[in-house]
């Protein structure tokens, strides 16, 4: 099947208590690992591309990689989504260039300016059958060009969401309830430590999610910065020359809870980067004489596939849901 937008996916996810995985892609191996897992688990998927990914890999290459995935995995619905679109021009370029969904991130702007910018993108996108995600509230952390210092983040204000959605016409809304971009989602002083000395992050603000959901019944909510930073891959990185002390993510049980509520899209990027980087570091340590990229990218791709498979089945709950999302 051809690329689709996110409308049907979100309708079914909201109705049936699961979330769609939105995985960031930068190269062929990442696209393959994600889509092969989704094909085997019969799961719908959102492949999302950031401004940084477009700068790194080129818009055309990324679109063609995703089109190849559509051809190789015709059984599953696939959305090609722009993550953190910084301005109208970038959103327009992606819409004109084959994307079926875009995010316009005006969360750093004053409310009225965010509304104005988001509405402009929505009007252009909807005229071309493309869905739009907006954002209220800001997340701490770093993701490509999106950088917000810890302490400068702001939770979404539930009292603003109805006006924002009605005035802009967005199809989904990213909110800030305590998730964070990158592999260091929480400072150690924000956390407690368990008996084994492992950092335990603070709970997400489900009270905010509940308020937003009551004000926007049936409306799809998005969580950014939702990698769980699996400690086995953090250890793999550190054991093989890396330096990632106190890297910590969002507990998977909290994400699973969010997926059963109004959260219909959960963004995952850092987990895939850790799986790839840890695998490659370990490979080179074990086999320092090797230099063929295919030899170290193949196990990296396999580990990306396995981590995506785990997310689909045990966190997102969307395994087996591809047919109802078509």
């Amino acid at each position: 099947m051809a690329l689709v937008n996110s409308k049907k996916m979100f309708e079914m996810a909201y109705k049936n208590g699961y979330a769609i995985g939105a995985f960031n892609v930068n190269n062929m191996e990442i696209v393959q690992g994600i889509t092969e897992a989704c094909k085997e688990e019969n799961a719908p998927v959102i492949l999302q591309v950031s401004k940084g990914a477009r700068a790194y890999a080129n818009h055309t290459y990324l679109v063609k990689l995703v089109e190849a995935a559509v051809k190789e995995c015709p059984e599953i619905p696939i959305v090609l989504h722009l993550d953190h679109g910084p301005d109208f021009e970038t959103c327009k370029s992606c819409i004109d260039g084959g994307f079926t969904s875009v995010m316009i991130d005006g969360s750093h702007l004053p409310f009225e300016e965010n509304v104005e910018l988001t509405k402009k993108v929505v009007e252009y996108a909807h005229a071309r059958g493309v869905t739009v995600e907006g954002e209220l509230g800001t997340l701490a952390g770093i993701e490509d060009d999106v950088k917000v210092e810890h302490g400068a983040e702001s939770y979404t204000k539930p009292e603003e969401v109805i006006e924002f959605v009605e005035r802009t016409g967005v199809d989904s809304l990213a909110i800030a309830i305590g998730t964070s971009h990158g592999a260091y989602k929480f400072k150690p002083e924000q956390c407690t430590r368990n008996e084994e000395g492992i950092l335990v992050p603070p709970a997400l603000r489900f009270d905010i999610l509940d308020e937003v959901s009551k004000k926007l019944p049936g409306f799809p909510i998005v969580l950014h910065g939702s990698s769980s930073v699996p400690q086995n891959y953090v250890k793999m990185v550190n054991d093989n020359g890396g330096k990632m002390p106190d890297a910590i993510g969002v507990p998977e049980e909290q994400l699973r809870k969010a997926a059963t509520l109004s959260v219909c899209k959960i963004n995952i990027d850092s987990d895939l980067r850790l799986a790839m980087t840890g695998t490659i570091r370990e490979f080179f340590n074990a086999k320092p004489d090797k230099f063929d990229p295919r030899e170290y990218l193949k196990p990296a791709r396999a580990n990306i596939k396995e981590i995506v498979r785990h997310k689909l089945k045990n966190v997102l709950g969307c395994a087996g849901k591809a047919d109802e999302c078509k």
Side-chain angles (χ1 to χ4, degrees):
M1 61 186 298
L3 284 168
V4 300
N5 65 34
S6 60
K7 186 173 179 60
K8 181 69 177 292
M9 285 187 186
F10 291 169
E11 287 177 358
M12 301 312 298
Y14 197 105
K15 177 182 177 182
N16 295 316
Y18 59 87
I20 311 297
F23 301 96
N24 286 71
V25 299
N26 299 280
N27 61 19
M28 182 184 74
E29 288 77 17
I30 295 175
V31 172
Q32 290 174 325
I34 295 166
T35 54
E36 286 174 13
C38 291
K39 180 178 180 179
E40 292 179 14
E41 294 297 333
N42 195 37
V45 69
I46 297 170
L47 300 179
Q48 56 185 29
V49 172
S50 65
K51 177 185 175 183
R54 291 178 81 226
Y56 166 74
N58 181 287
H59 174 101
T60 303
Y61 281 107
L62 290 168
V63 170
K64 293 305 179 184
L65 284 172
V66 173
E67 288 177 354
V70 171
K71 185 174 182 179
E72 291 297 316
C73 306
E75 308 92 341
I76 61 171
I78 299 175
V79 173
L80 177 53
H81 175 75
L82 170 66
D83 188 28
H84 286 291
D87 49 46
F88 174 80
E89 290 71 23
T90 302
C91 292
K92 180 180 183 299
S93 175
C94 288
I95 293 166
D96 295 343
F99 282 53
T100 54
S101 178
V102 296
M103 177 203 183
I104 177 63
D105 185 359
S107 61
H108 59 289
L109 299 171
F111 183 81
E112 286 297 328
E113 292 180 31
N114 190 357
V115 167
E116 181 181 355
L117 174 61
T118 303
K119 182 179 179 181
K120 182 178 180 181
V121 172
V122 168
E123 289 174 348
Y124 189 85
H126 282 184
R128 291 154 182 83
V130 173
T131 44
V132 179
E133 173 187 329
E135 183 168 8
L136 279 175
T138 55
L139 277 63
I142 299 173
E143 181 183 14
D144 289 343
D145 294 333
V146 180
K147 300 178 182 180
V148 178
E149 295 293 330
H150 282 279
E153 69 271 25
S154 60
Y155 291 116
T156 299
K157 299 175 182 176
E159 64 270 19
E160 292 181 342
V161 298
I162 296 177
E163 181 182 358
F164 185 82
V165 168
E166 289 181 348
R167 288 178 60 188
T168 62
V170 288
D171 302 284
S172 60
L173 181 66
I175 65 171
I177 62 169
T179 57
S180 176
H181 291 128
Y184 299 89
K185 298 188 181 301
F186 307 97
K187 289 184 175 182
E189 55 265 31
Q190 294 177 278
C191 306
T192 58
R193 289 188 185 269
N194 63 18
E195 295 176 352
E196 299 173 351
I198 298 173
L199 290 174
V200 178
L204 299 181
R205 291 288 304 274
F206 282 100
D207 57 321
I208 295 176
L209 176 60
D210 185 56
E211 267 196 83
V212 169
S213 302
K214 288 177 180 177
K215 292 180 181 297
L216 297 172
F219 192 81
I221 301 301
V222 176
L223 287 187
H224 284 242
S226 296
S227 284
S228 296
V229 188
Q231 293 301 298
N232 60 316
Y233 284 117
V234 173
K235 186 176 187 300
M236 188 184 290
V237 169
N238 290 335
D239 287 350
N240 290 279
K243 294 182 180 179
M244 298 188 68
D246 295 331
I248 187 169
V250 181
E252 289 186 335
E253 60 269 20
Q254 293 191 41
L255 297 174
R256 184 71 198 101
K257 178 180 177 181
T260 65
L261 302 172
S262 58
V263 173
C264 297
K265 174 176 178 275
I266 292 179
N267 289 15
I268 300 168
D269 184 11
S270 295
D271 288 355
L272 307 189
R273 297 185 186 197
L274 283 167
M276 173 166 271
T277 300
T279 304
I280 293 172
R281 280 187 174 276
E282 184 178 67
F283 180 94
F284 280 132
N285 258 0
K287 302 176 180 180
D289 59 315
K290 299 295 184 180
F291 63 94
D292 185 342
R294 293 170 296 185
E295 293 192 51
Y296 55 83
L297 289 174
K298 185 175 181 180
R301 178 177 61 192
N303 279 341
I304 287 173
K305 179 179 176 179
E306 287 312 305
I307 203 168
V308 170
R309 187 198 302 275
H310 164 71
K311 298 289 185 181
L312 299 173
K313 295 167 63 176
N314 302 314
V315 181
L316 302 163
C318 62
K321 305 296 185 181
D323 293 341
E324 71 183 33
C325 290
K326 293 178 181 177

